Amino acid sequence: MDSFLDLFDPGTSPPTNCDVWPEDDDDDTRLPPEPQMGNVEYKLKLINPSKLRFEHLVTQLKWRLREGHGEAIYEIGVEDTGRLTGLSSDDMKSSLITLDQMALKLGATTSVLRERSVRKDKMVAEVLVRKVPDDQECIEVMVAVLGGADAGKSTLLGVLAHGEFDNGRGSARLNVLRHLHELRSGRTSSISHEILGFDTEGDVINYQKARTAEEIRDRSSKLITFLDLAGHKKYLKTTVAGLSGYCPNHVMLVVSSPAVNVSSPTQLDMTKEHMDLVLALRLPFCIVVTKTDITPADNTINWLESVLKSVGCRKVPLVIKSDDDVITASSAQPTQNVVPIFTISSVTGENLDLLTRFLYVLPPSISIKEKERLEQECCQFQIDEIFKVPDIGTIVGGVLTQGVVNIATELVIGPLDNGTFVPVTVQSIHRNKAPCRVVKATQSASLSLEKVIPGLRNGMVLLGLGVNHSACMFFQARIVLLYHATSIHNGFQTTVHIGNIRQTAAIVAIMECDKRGMHTNDSASVIFKFRRHPEYVTEGMRLLFREGQTKGIGIVTQVFALQVVAG
């Protein structure tokens, strides 16, 4: 969607404080024509429609909500051609009342995001309509939080999730860190989850307003699940595994403002490393500059803008200074071209409201149609964490990539070291730190299994009984080598990430390549061999491999099934 601030030439900066639009009718002061697909609808006016017309409008709204996976944007006072005609104050009020009635008919809610004057007495308005799908408790968006060590990631999440500012010495992060060594060092070494909810009016629901995670979920119409990932270089493999395995909808890249001013190479190098990973995985992202109470963010913003505009990135940075900037940045997220930059302080709370507003309007990245298609597929649950609890059994945590899992669902788990799968039954399910009865495709959860199974490890999968349970040691992929200092030949070993899989693999054959081997930016079909144990891989899965400074991406094109000998 192109919003009001996008009407100007791409080469010029939008006037973020402009309240009155020019009276001329140049192309630069138009929205593009109304899109036929998607969740954006233009309406010149909605004044006293007939009963038949009202029913048609409701049907149209229902379709737009479906296209936007529960969220639709209505531009009131805008013609289908994109011309900003505007409405008088009375007509705008009447149109908004009609839109409220349309939403009420579907059990949806409306929220005016912003209004603008386009002529002397004419107004246009941008309205968010939200309806939680009937089979969901709330609209969910998963946001992965990246950044170098000491950037302030955990502190920021502690402030957002618990509603209390930091004391300047890391008090807020104590609510987020999971292990004793993390509390002592202040550095995240594992993957942790935090949640932030919003009600229908856009008000924040966190642990300051609700006692438990279950209460936050019950009171929220939209739920943001944060994936707090490690920032230190020694935990980079864990960070990449979280990005690849959990498939987040969005990424929040956190940068400390003092890092640029004191020329901290470690943190800045990790910021570039994380940005490269996000670009390779083609994930939309925003940037949050923290600790502005210590050091002004001007130099940091200049550095970020130079990185974002570089040849390898080619993004448009947008520094967020107002609510208008927030809506503009949110509407541009599906195209992934605009990267919003927030400057905040976890101590004073500066601009924290702009960040929460952005999270409130941040659109999910998967459509309802695609979600329904995935739910119809046979179950596939990627395991990222394993716990063995006395008197309970085995608990596995991860993401359900397709299908639906209920309590008492019978599945198989594997592959074990010999390539076999073991039947199991789901005893209980927890989501967002609260018990539930069902988990659906794209949702993360913890499943309790009825028995302790030896030999389990991260990277395994739970599969439905109707899935082909074939593991592999060899697979073929079409890869692009993003960077390597010299050249890659047969025998090259690298860490391969495929979904939740993280294992060393060796290249045993390179097709379409001469004796010089593969160099930076070369592409070829290669055959990999896992070094330790078989994995469950399917055609079409995306892979990312890295070893030191070497990076590459690719798609699995063929899997060579492992022949398991019975007995």
Side-chain angles (χ1 to χ4, degrees):
M1 171 194 127
D2 291 277
S3 58
F4 299 145
L5 295 180
D6 296 323
L7 301 180
F8 294 83
D9 284 328
T12 62
S13 299
T16 55
N17 296 320
C18 177
D19 289 326
V20 181
W21 287 97
E23 295 191 24
D24 60 301
D25 192 30
D26 295 336
D27 291 339
D28 291 343
T29 58
R30 284 174 175 263
L31 286 171
E34 181 185 55
Q36 296 299 315
M37 308 299 291
N39 69 330
V40 180
E41 179 70 27
Y42 296 172
K43 288 299 175 191
L44 178 59
K45 57 183 178 180
L46 297 169
I47 302 174
N48 298 325
S50 64
K51 185 176 180 180
L52 183 62
R53 171 63 175 165
F54 183 80
E55 293 298 327
H56 172 73
L57 291 171
V58 170
T59 302
Q60 192 177 52
L61 172 58
K62 185 176 181 180
W63 186 82
R64 290 295 189 185
L65 286 169
R66 183 178 179 83
E67 285 287 296
H69 21 84
E71 294 181 343
I73 300 292
Y74 268 61
E75 309 283 6
I76 308 298
V78 182
E79 298 181 14
D80 290 345
T81 59
R83 184 173 183 268
L84 302 179
T85 302
L87 297 176
S88 65
S89 178
D90 292 341
D91 287 348
M92 178 60 72
K93 182 178 180 180
S94 178
S95 296
L96 292 178
I97 291 174
T98 301
L99 185 58
D100 283 340
Q101 294 171 343
M102 292 161 51
L104 184 63
K105 182 83 171 179
L106 297 175
T109 60
T110 63
S111 175
V112 178
L113 298 178
R114 55 182 170 180
E115 293 181 328
R116 280 290 174 269
S117 297
V118 293
R119 287 173 179 81
K120 293 180 180 179
D121 57 350
K122 300 292 185 179
M123 301 286 294
V124 292
E126 192 168 45
V127 185
L128 171 67
V129 184
R130 175 174 292 164
K131 181 185 186 299
V132 178
D134 296 332
D135 60 346
Q136 291 181 224
E137 295 173 336
C138 58
I139 296 171
E140 297 186 45
V141 179
M142 179 176 286
V143 178
V145 183
L146 292 175
D150 302 322
K153 302 183 300 298
S154 298
T155 298
L156 173 60
L157 293 189
V159 172
L160 290 172
H162 294 269
E164 296 181 359
F165 295 155
D166 186 60
N167 63 355
R169 297 185 298 276
S171 63
R173 69 186 178 195
L174 298 179
N175 297 315
V176 177
L177 300 179
R178 301 172 60 189
H179 304 292
L180 180 60
H181 70 271
E182 292 180 338
L183 293 172
R184 289 174 175 172
S185 66
R187 291 177 176 174
T188 302
S189 63
S190 60
I191 300 173
S192 62
H193 297 75
E194 290 296 329
I195 59 174
L196 177 69
F198 296 93
D199 61 17
T200 55
E201 301 298 324
D203 294 330
V204 172
I205 307 295
N206 53 24
Y207 287 108
Q208 192 178 49
K209 298 182 179 179
R211 295 181 179 179
T212 63
E214 187 173 12
E215 187 178 347
I216 292 177
R217 184 187 64 186
D218 292 341
R219 292 175 56 183
S220 301
S221 64
K222 186 169 187 176
L223 194 69
I224 307 294
T225 301
F226 294 107
L227 200 64
D228 189 14
L229 301 174
H232 198 277
K233 188 174 184 178
K234 66 187 292 187
Y235 305 119
L236 184 58
K237 290 183 179 180
T238 302
T239 299
V240 178
L243 271 181
S244 176
Y246 278 93
C247 307
N249 307 117
H250 196 82
V251 173
M252 183 190 299
L253 184 59
V254 181
V255 184
S256 170
S257 183
V260 174
N261 292 276
V262 300
S263 299
S264 172
T266 302
Q267 188 177 141
L268 298 182
D269 288 346
M270 288 308 302
T271 298
K272 292 181 180 179
E273 180 82 22
H274 289 161
M275 191 180 297
D276 288 342
L277 291 173
V278 173
L279 293 172
L281 294 172
R282 299 178 182 176
L283 295 171
F285 68 102
C286 67
I287 298 176
V288 177
V289 180
T290 60
K291 303 182 183 180
T292 57
D293 56 295
I294 300 176
T295 306
D298 296 342
N299 292 338
T300 307
I301 291 175
N302 292 335
W303 179 78
L304 288 170
E305 288 179 340
S306 65
V307 173
L308 290 171
K309 293 177 181 179
S310 63
V311 176
C313 194
R314 297 183 185 277
K315 300 293 182 181
V316 179
L318 175 61
V319 180
I320 305 300
K321 298 180 180 179
S322 65
D323 284 341
D324 278 344
D325 294 340
V326 169
I327 307 304
T328 300
S330 174
S331 62
Q333 289 308 293
T335 65
Q336 301 184 20
N337 289 327
V338 175
V339 178
I341 301 176
F342 297 85
T343 57
I344 70 154
S345 167
S346 297
V347 176
T348 65
E350 177 190 5
N351 292 334
L352 204 62
D353 57 330
L354 296 178
L355 180 59
T356 55
R357 181 73 169 171
F358 175 76
L359 295 171
Y360 169 64
V361 297
L362 186 65
S365 62
I366 182 170
S367 67
I368 289 181
K369 291 180 182 179
E370 177 65 13
K371 193 172 187 301
E372 289 177 348
R373 185 191 68 79
L374 291 174
E375 290 174 1
Q376 298 301 317
E377 301 287 338
C378 203
C379 294
Q380 181 175 326
F381 184 89
Q382 297 182 347
I383 298 174
D384 293 290
E385 293 182 295
I386 299 174
F387 309 94
K388 294 180 181 179
V389 182
D391 302 325
I392 294 180
T394 301
I395 297 176
V396 296
V399 176
L400 184 66
T401 57
Q402 60 186 44
V404 177
V405 173
N406 298 278
I407 295 177
T409 297
E410 295 181 351
L411 305 168
V412 294
I413 190 171
L416 301 179
D417 287 348
N418 59 1
T420 60
F421 290 77
V422 179
V424 293
T425 303
V426 178
Q427 279 191 324
S428 63
I429 302 172
H430 274 67
R431 293 196 63 247
N432 299 319
K433 304 179 182 179
C436 63
R437 300 189 62 83
V438 62
V439 57
K440 299 181 179 180
T442 73
Q443 296 178 343
S444 59
S446 296
L447 310 180
S448 174
L449 309 180
E450 87 284 8
K451 58 183 179 182
V452 175
I453 304 169
L456 295 187
R457 53 179 169 75
N458 296 348
M460 287 185 171
V461 292
L462 283 163
L463 301 174
L465 299 180
V467 175
N468 179 24
H469 310 143
S470 297
C472 74
M473 287 293 292
F474 294 86
F475 67 93
Q476 184 172 332
R478 183 75 183 181
I479 67 169
V480 177
L481 183 59
L482 300 178
Y483 177 78
H484 187 68
T486 55
S487 61
I488 287 178
H489 300 269
N490 291 346
F492 176 77
Q493 296 189 17
T494 180
T495 302
V496 174
H497 298 267
I498 309 175
N500 63 324
I501 297 170
R502 185 184 74 186
Q503 189 182 157
T504 300
I507 295 178
V508 297
I510 304 177
M511 280 72 81
E512 309 166 19
C513 184
D514 56 29
K515 295 182 180 180
R516 297 185 306 110
M518 290 187 66
H519 296 76
T520 299
N521 295 327
D522 283 352
S523 63
S525 290
V526 304
I527 296 179
F528 287 95
K529 179 186 178 182
F530 290 118
R531 298 294 296 171
R532 296 187 60 189
H533 39 66
E535 302 282 9
Y536 179 76
V537 180
T538 59
E539 294 180 6
M541 296 182 74
R542 297 183 63 180
L543 68 88
L544 185 150
F545 62 90
R546 51 171 298 279
E547 190 64 39
Q549 295 298 315
T550 301
K551 301 183 188 69
I553 57 175
I555 297 288
V556 176
T557 56
Q558 188 176 358
V559 176
F560 304 96
L562 181 68
Q563 299 298 320
V564 179
V565 180

